[in-house]
């Protein structure tokens, strides 16, 4: 069984994000970048399935600038077998990424596609669902447990009303949540081995995918700073402030 895992290069979750002075976007100058945490969980789960003898090959894919090769090498160090970078210097929206993954799905013919439920930079939570729709595949989102047997994937997920378990006929798309696993610490020997693993680079045009943006960013701004709290002498004053100042009553 072949597993396809999509990963994204994002600003490291420990970095305090700064907005550009012209409000056109996020300032990425000298900012540490890393693999999207949800995608790292997807890679870890795919590698565990391989180690359990369920999967035979794990292929990782990323869409983005040339520096995304570092992200793919990190996934290879975790235990993936090979990587594909769809290189583009333009901003690629979730729909375009889903189209690219659909093209690679058709080419690679995996039995399972895994990716994080969302990326921590845009929080769109769209790519997995769009891919499932484009490829006409069953999907399970926000997976907290995944098991594969007899041509089916059994996925446990948390929903508003509690817990839900789904059975999917393979091939299928699964998006991963934080509770699924804890990614392993990557050792130096595995980092060195990852440098020798195959990493192919292709262009979106070679996949016949149109990545032209459908959205236009008008302005990016930091959230307003929270004002300091105040003490009130009694409940009557509190209610009055909630009515006249906060206007929530």
């Amino acid at each position: 069984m072949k597993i396809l895992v999509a990963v994204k290069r994002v600003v490291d979750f420990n970095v305090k994000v700064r907005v550009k002075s012209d409000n056109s976007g996020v300032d990425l100058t000298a900012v540490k970048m890393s693999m999207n945490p949800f995608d790292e969980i997807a890679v870890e789960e795919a590698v565990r399935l391989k180690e359990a003898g369920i999967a035979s090959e794990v292929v990782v894919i990323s869409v983005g600038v040339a520096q995304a090769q570092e992200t793919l090498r990190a996934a290879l160090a975790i235990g993936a077998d090979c990587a594909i970078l769809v290189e583009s210097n333009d901003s690629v929206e979730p729909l375009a990424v889903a189209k690219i993954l659909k093209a690679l799905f058709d080419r690679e013919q995996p039995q399972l596609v895994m990716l994080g439920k969302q990326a921590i930079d845009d929080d769109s939570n769209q790519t997995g669902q769009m891919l499932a729709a484009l490829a006409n595949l069953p999907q399970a989102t926000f997976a907290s447990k995944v098991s594969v047997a007899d041509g089916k994937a059994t996925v446990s997920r948390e929903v508003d009303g509690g817990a839900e378990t789904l059975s999917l006929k393979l091939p299928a798309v699964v998006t991963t949540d934080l509770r699924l696993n804890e990614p392993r610490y990557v050792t130096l020997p595995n980092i060195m081995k990852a440098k020798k693993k195959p990493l192919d680079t292709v262009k979106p045009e070679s996949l016949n995918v149109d990545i032209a943006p459908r959205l236009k960013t008008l302005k990016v701004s930091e959230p307003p700073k929270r004002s300091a709290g105040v003490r009130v002498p009694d409940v009557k004053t509190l209610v009055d402030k909630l009515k006249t100042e906060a206007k929530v009553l």
Side-chain angles (χ1 to χ4, degrees), residues 12-33:
D12 189 86
F13 68 92
N14 288 312
V15 173
K16 180 175 173 54
V17 177
R18 301 187 305 272
V19 176
K20 292 180 180 178
S21 57
D22 60 358
N23 296 113
S24 62
V26 174
D27 186 2
L28 300 180
T29 306
V31 170
K32 180 183 178 183
M33 308 292 284

Side-chain angles (χ1 to χ4, degrees), residues 75-89:
L76 293 173
I78 293 175
D81 298 291
C82 59
I84 302 171
L85 172 62
V86 183
E87 187 176 346
S88 173
N89 292 322

